[in-house]
Amino acid sequence: MASTDQSPTLEILVRTPEELSIWTGPPFANGQPGVKLEKVSCVNAKFSDDGSRLMVTKSNSVISIYDCKSAKEIRSFEVPNVTSAILSPCGTFLQTFQKPSAPQEKNVTLWKTENGDPVYQHSQKNLTKTTWPAIQFSSNEATACRMATNEVQFFDTRDFSKGIIDRLRVPGVSAIELSSAPGSHVAAYVPESKGIPACVQIFPCGNASQSQAVARRSFFRCSTTQLKWNHGSTGLLVLVQSDVDKTNQSYYGESKLFYLTIDGKHEGLVPLSKEGPVHDAQWSYSGLEFAVVYVMPAKATLFDKKCNPLLELGTGPYNTIRWNPKGKFLCLAGFGNLPGDMVFWDYADKKQLAATKAEWSVTSEWSPDGCYFMTATTAPRLQVDNGIKIFHYNGSLYFTKMFDKLFQADWKPEPADKFGDITELIKSLNLGKVEDKKPSGPGPKSAQASNKLSSTNPPAQKPAAYRPPHAKNAAAVQAELLGIGESSPAGSMSKNALRNKKKREKQKEKKAASDANS
């Protein structure tokens, strides 16, 4: 499949209620995946961001670390009462959170995976999305920091025994996001308080104690915020959402999308063409453009890193954006409460490739080589119809497998630059072109539209209105009294009903005749 011999093989982690396996492929030999690691008992599993290590949490508070090349266990940690655990981006450190048994107990521990030694500990009361992981790393692990009361604390990743080496003072800070590649800046969110608006600020990480904010944006009405850095650490998307829309224009609350750059040139709203809820906003892997899905029926717009609109991707029942890691392709989808519509785009050539569906999908992601798109229906979100679907880049279905119960399905991460050019990769799949289902020959547009409708999607029957059970019973009783079934034709009327109908028709005829004579 790949254009070079050095390209890694694709692998998929599949976890059921009792165990996990690691599949090899696609492509699958004889249509079925091979198995690299088979039936490891666990309750949770997660790859490091670079795909070099696999963390497996077992039921007896034992956390095992596997080397992903050899699929062999290299280290085991016994951590009583462990609630959550995560690997650092390169797999160098394991971070664990234990349920505290006493106040001020140091229940967050950073372990060195190479030798199993703890290198840093601190106490933390609660575990939330904004406070975990407690220590954030840049993608190359050169920078590490954590949020504390009214400040951001920085560490030397080569020697955590030094403790805190620098402090950034941010009064009231409640969430931070360290830029990933490179870890040069940190974004800090301070919520609204006593009439003072909430704000997001960007600070450089070097010499943090002397740092001044290079960008800042203030706003009111904020319940939650998402901070999204681009690759290159030059731009930050800030998605602000409030549970209640005080203008009463949206049932879903109010949302705003801001764009800030480290050079201070942009500190304002993203210019969306319509006001309404923002469902998703995601940077491309290159960090040169981002896409936004907003309002309903959802509109999708691509912007460049200067916040200029590049391309409109139409409207539809969408709330999810997935960028292809090799560039060129993009998938728009409607998952969760939406019916699972998916549209595949070649945004480089500005054309839609195909539209399909993956109903009840809970997770979705592109393969690291950019040739496949996997969706999964998993528990506990859904307890039935659990399974995996894998599509080609153009939306054609490649593989399906159902499970009695499926908890997780993840691609093993790999750097996209380890694979060849995406154009060469897709040529090797030999899929051919997706044919347009347009009627051949000239003809009026209305005729073509009706032919296309009849050949591809037959007109859907209008669904019957909902009728509560008591209404159905009442209708049945009434029908029985009148001698008419709920859906009976006129020919099945009772004799009395038929006689009354004829009388009414004769009266109408007499009245019409008298009106004509007068």
Side-chain angles (χ1 to χ4, degrees):
M1 177 189 63
S3 61
T4 63
D5 295 336
Q6 290 76 25
S7 296
T9 58
L10 298 176
E11 296 177 11
I12 302 173
L13 184 154
V14 178
R15 182 168 66 90
T16 58
E18 302 296 333
E19 60 196 20
L20 71 82
S21 300
I22 293 182
W23 295 352
T24 57
F28 299 138
N30 303 319
Q32 293 298 319
V35 178
K36 182 176 180 179
L37 183 63
E38 189 172 12
K39 295 184 178 179
V40 177
S41 299
C42 70
V43 294
N44 196 14
K46 189 77 170 65
F47 287 109
S48 61
D49 289 351
D50 67 349
S52 63
R53 298 283 187 267
L54 172 65
M55 179 197 72
V56 178
T57 306
K58 300 180 179 179
S59 57
N60 55 354
S61 298
V62 173
I63 300 173
S64 297
I65 309 298
Y66 286 77
D67 177 79
C68 290
K69 284 186 179 179
S70 63
K72 301 292 185 183
E73 184 177 336
I74 58 175
R75 183 70 55 193
S76 183
F77 298 84
E78 188 169 352
V79 189
N81 300 319
V82 62
T83 302
S84 189
I86 190 170
L87 285 169
S88 60
C90 300
T92 309
F93 302 99
L94 170 69
Q95 191 173 172
T96 60
F97 180 96
Q98 295 167 273
K99 189 179 294 184
S101 57
Q104 303 303 317
E105 178 188 2
K106 292 185 176 181
N107 57 325
V108 173
T109 306
L110 197 66
W111 313 79
K112 195 77 175 287
T113 57
E114 184 181 347
N115 54 25
D117 293 339
V119 296
Y120 179 78
Q121 287 184 301
H122 71 259
S123 61
Q124 181 173 315
K125 290 182 180 179
N126 300 317
L127 188 71
T128 64
K129 286 184 178 180
T130 57
T131 60
W132 187 255
I135 299 175
Q136 297 184 22
F137 289 87
S138 59
S139 59
N140 60 0
E141 298 185 357
T143 309
C145 66
R146 69 175 285 254
M147 181 182 66
T149 305
N150 296 326
E151 67 181 20
V152 182
Q153 301 171 350
F154 291 84
F155 303 90
D156 184 346
T157 58
R158 295 164 297 181
D159 187 1
F160 273 88
S161 65
K162 294 180 180 178
I164 301 164
I165 62 170
D166 209 352
R167 300 172 188 267
L168 173 65
R169 180 76 177 166
V170 187
V173 61
S174 68
I176 64 170
E177 189 69 29
L178 178 65
S179 62
S180 178
S184 57
H185 291 76
V186 63
Y189 165 68
V190 178
E192 183 178 346
S193 176
K194 298 178 181 179
I196 301 173
C199 72
V200 169
Q201 302 174 79
I202 297 177
F203 298 91
C205 294
N207 196 14
S209 59
Q210 304 298 320
S211 294
Q212 299 294 321
V214 295
R216 176 190 175 100
R217 180 69 191 192
S218 300
F219 41 83
F220 285 100
R221 298 192 301 277
C222 176
S223 303
T224 60
T225 183
Q226 298 178 43
L227 308 173
K228 301 171 183 280
W229 281 103
N230 70 336
H231 185 88
S233 305
T234 58
L236 176 75
L237 289 174
V238 182
L239 179 54
V240 175
Q241 294 176 308
S242 62
D243 297 333
V244 178
D245 182 5
K246 292 187 177 181
T247 63
N248 293 323
Q249 292 181 352
S250 174
Y251 172 79
Y252 300 98
E254 186 179 2
S255 58
K256 294 177 182 177
L257 185 65
F258 298 100
Y259 178 46
L260 287 77
T261 56
I262 60 173
D263 58 10
K265 290 184 178 179
H266 294 278
E267 296 179 345
L269 286 165
V270 175
L272 303 177
S273 60
K274 277 189 176 182
E275 289 189 7
V278 177
H279 309 294
D280 199 7
Q282 297 291 342
W283 285 98
S284 68
Y285 281 78
S286 68
L288 300 178
E289 57 268 310
F290 62 91
V292 186
V293 175
Y294 56 104
V295 303
M296 190 58 77
K299 294 191 67 175
T301 307
L302 267 60
F303 295 86
D304 64 16
K305 64 178 182 178
K306 293 184 178 180
C307 218
N308 298 316
L310 288 176
L311 181 64
E312 295 288 344
L313 301 180
T315 61
Y318 310 127
N319 60 5
T320 303
I321 303 163
R322 292 290 182 266
W323 288 92
N324 188 290
K326 296 292 290 182
K328 193 171 173 62
F329 303 123
L330 177 134
C331 178
L332 290 177
F335 296 142
N337 296 328
L338 296 180
D341 293 79
M342 298 193 303
V343 176
F344 291 84
W345 276 83
D346 182 336
Y347 69 89
D349 292 341
K350 299 183 178 180
K351 64 179 182 180
Q352 182 178 314
L353 297 176
T356 184
K357 270 194 174 187
E359 295 92 343
W360 312 299
S361 296
V362 176
T363 61
S364 60
E365 194 52 79
W366 287 94
S367 60
D369 69 343
C371 292
Y372 301 92
F373 189 78
M374 178 172 67
T375 65
T377 304
T378 58
R381 175 70 181 269
L382 289 172
Q383 300 291 339
V384 296
D385 296 319
N386 284 193
I388 293 171
K389 290 182 179 179
I390 299 177
F391 299 83
H392 285 117
Y393 72 95
N394 63 359
S396 59
L397 184 62
Y398 171 69
F399 175 80
T400 302
K401 185 171 179 64
M402 305 304 292
F403 293 81
D404 291 334
K405 196 77 70 180
L406 177 67
F407 280 167
Q408 186 178 357
D410 292 332
W411 296 104
K412 182 171 84 73
E414 292 284 357
D417 57 12
K418 285 188 177 181
F419 300 90
D421 179 71
I422 186 63
T423 306
E424 297 300 321
L425 290 171
I426 62 177
K427 280 182 182 178
S428 66
L429 296 176
N430 295 321
L431 298 181
K433 293 184 178 179
V434 180
E435 295 181 1
D436 292 332
K437 296 181 180 180
K438 292 182 179 179
S440 59
K445 291 184 178 179
S446 59
Q448 290 184 13
S450 62
N451 289 338
K452 184 175 181 181
L453 182 65
S454 61
S455 62
T456 57
N457 295 315
Q461 294 183 353
K462 186 176 180 180
Y466 170 74
R467 298 173 68 185
H470 66 81
K472 291 181 180 179
N473 295 336
V477 171
Q478 185 181 19
E480 186 176 355
L481 290 174
L482 297 177
I484 307 173
E486 278 193 69
S487 57
S488 299
S492 59
M493 291 182 179
S494 65
K495 291 182 180 179
N496 289 334
L498 206 58
R499 192 180 303 115
N500 291 333
K501 183 181 178 183
K502 288 181 179 178
K503 284 183 179 179
R504 289 193 295 272
E505 289 175 352
K506 286 183 179 179
Q507 288 175 356
K508 287 181 182 179
E509 290 176 0
K510 287 181 180 178
K511 187 178 180 182
S514 62
D515 290 343
N517 292 332
S518 62

